[in-house]
Amino acid sequence: MLVPALQILRKARAGHYAVPALNVNNLEFLKAVVAAAVKMRSPIIVQTTEGAIEYAGMEYLVAMAKVAAKAPIPMALHLDHGKDLKTIKKAIQSGYTSVMFDGSSLPYKENVAKTKQVVAWARAKKVSVEAEIGAIAGIEDFVTVKDKDAHLTNPEQAAQFSKETGCDTLAVAIGTAHGAYKFKGEAHLDIERLKKIAKLMPKPIVLHGASGVLEDVVELAKHHGAKLGEVRGVLDADIKQAIKFGVSKINIDTDLRLAFTAGMREALDELPTVIDPRKLLEPSNILIREVAQRKMLLFKSEGKA
Ligand code: G3H
Ligand code: 13P
Ligand code: ZN
């Protein structure tokens, strides 16, 4: 059964571990991440963006997630980076057990008002709400300290925002960025800022842009012809610190994309006579499972189902 994300995340916060929130776009990703969670006995949040919904269709995604949730682990279906209120409302009515309203690019007051609206819709259906305050872009993107301070999450404002909106969990900006090119200089997160946020705001904290851009996966992809250039992800040591100081939900998309496409490249390269797509997708499935399992070990969610 699908459960509200908050149910899983409260336990994680109390138990000092984090739940992997893994982005899926199709059946292949979904089956692989759920198989990983079952193997590791880990709770899991399966999440889809508005882009994934556009690609696969909300009904397909919900139906597949409901089947996947028959697995013997706690699982939530979450709308990631919801920006369109109509889509958010539809997700709440269609069986998502958690939604994000991403108002991070809006003026503060508008972010508060829209988040409150989403919270009101969600309450009636016992759906969890993730909100966001601050801009999720790499620390190295900011030229001056003042610039950085203006973009990363302000701890006092985060506490105020969480009280005003009644959101269940909060995504914060502490230096991560989406994608495979997160840092221009040294990879590091603003852990001091996170500590302050966690002290003032007791709800589960969400870390976006948390992919590690795993070296071996990148190497495999490059070996089979991928042109990836200077990729750089979040260090495992930073992830451990983030969990220690209050992060309970960690979003991973890029690492799964890299795994899937590395597997595809490998299959096409090494099995040039095979035309059965199911066989060609096997290496991708194995790699996604492996990457998801590594995250469960790193986040210490193994055995917590
Ligand atoms: O933040 C989430 C993603 O990494 C971007 O996903 O291409 O499905 O919008 P998308
Ligand atoms: P990555 O691009 O680091 O995987 O981040 C994914 C994410 O934050 C999805 O919301
Ligand atoms: Zn994100």
Side-chain angles (χ1 to χ4, degrees):
M1 203 178 68
L2 292 169
V3 299
L6 186 60
Q7 190 176 311
I8 302 175
L9 294 173
R10 274 211 187 111
K11 278 194 193 162
R13 176 100 202 225
H16 306 286
Y17 62 92
V19 178
L22 306 178
N23 283 73
V24 306
N25 292 279
N26 60 21
L27 181 67
E28 270 62 42
F29 278 73
L30 179 63
K31 282 184 84 172
V33 298
V34 172
V38 170
K39 172 118 196 267
M40 304 300 275
R41 292 185 300 113
S42 167
I44 185 175
I45 296 173
V46 167
Q47 56 187 17
T48 75
T49 59
E50 289 175 348
I53 289 169
E54 206 176 300
Y55 171 74
M58 194 185 280
E59 274 187 77
Y60 273 117
L61 292 169
V62 172
M64 289 194 300
K66 281 187 177 162
V67 175
K70 290 182 180 172
I73 43 154
M75 172 175 155
L77 175 63
H78 175 76
L79 173 68
D80 187 29
H81 290 286
K83 291 194 172 169
D84 175 46
L85 289 180
K86 263 197 208 150
T87 306
I88 296 176
K89 197 173 191 182
K90 193 170 164 209
I92 291 170
Q93 289 163 346
S94 304
Y96 278 69
T97 56
S98 177
V99 292
M100 174 185 192
F101 174 63
D102 179 356
S104 57
S105 60
L106 302 175
Y108 180 82
K109 278 196 174 158
E110 196 179 340
N111 191 1
V112 169
K114 290 192 167 155
T115 303
K116 276 170 89 171
Q117 171 65 80
V118 171
V119 169
W121 289 335
R123 284 292 166 268
K125 289 270 189 186
K126 294 195 170 65
V127 166
S128 311
V129 177
E130 175 181 331
E132 178 176 330
I133 187 116
I136 294 168
I139 272 191
E140 308 304 327
D141 289 344
F142 305 121
V143 185
T144 64
V145 175
K146 218 173 130 200
D147 190 23
K148 173 180 128 184
D149 224 55
H151 285 84
L152 298 187
T153 302
N154 172 297
E156 284 79 21
Q157 197 182 48
Q160 176 67 24
F161 180 82
S162 133
K163 265 198 209 130
E164 271 188 74
T165 60
C167 63
D168 298 306
T169 61
L170 190 65
V172 298
I174 56 168
T176 56
H178 291 104
Y181 306 90
K182 297 183 192 298
F183 304 97
K184 289 189 200 105
E186 197 188 324
H188 71 282
L189 302 188
D190 192 342
I191 297 294
E192 289 311 309
R193 184 179 297 268
L194 173 65
K195 284 186 195 169
K196 283 185 201 146
I197 297 169
K199 206 169 154 201
L200 299 173
M201 209 274 318
K203 296 174 184 175
I205 295 173
V206 182
L207 188 65
H208 282 248
S211 278
V213 189
L214 309 168
E215 212 175 302
D216 53 334
V217 178
V218 170
E219 279 315 306
L220 179 70
K222 283 184 173 170
H223 177 75
H224 291 288
K227 304 251 181 300
L228 288 170
E230 276 290 305
V231 292
R232 197 162 310 173
V234 180
L235 303 173
D236 283 3
D238 274 348
I239 293 286
K240 285 183 188 159
Q241 287 282 96
I243 296 171
K244 186 169 171 198
F245 295 111
V247 165
S248 316
K249 171 177 181 272
I250 302 187
N251 287 13
I252 303 289
D253 189 358
T254 297
D255 280 338
L256 302 175
R257 291 179 178 202
L258 284 167
F260 186 81
T261 50
M264 281 175 70
R265 289 176 205 284
E266 185 186 28
L268 290 170
D269 212 11
E270 291 187 359
L271 305 168
T273 58
V274 174
I275 59 160
D276 182 343
R278 293 165 299 193
K279 294 232 162 18
L280 292 171
L281 284 168
E282 232 172 72
S284 294
N285 184 291
I286 292 168
L287 267 174
I288 292 185
R289 263 174 18 214
E290 219 179 276
V291 167
Q293 285 175 27
R294 277 199 242 170
K295 299 297 171 188
M296 288 159 193
L297 284 174
L298 177 64
F299 303 169
K300 295 200 166 53
S301 65
E302 185 204 10
K304 303 295 195 310

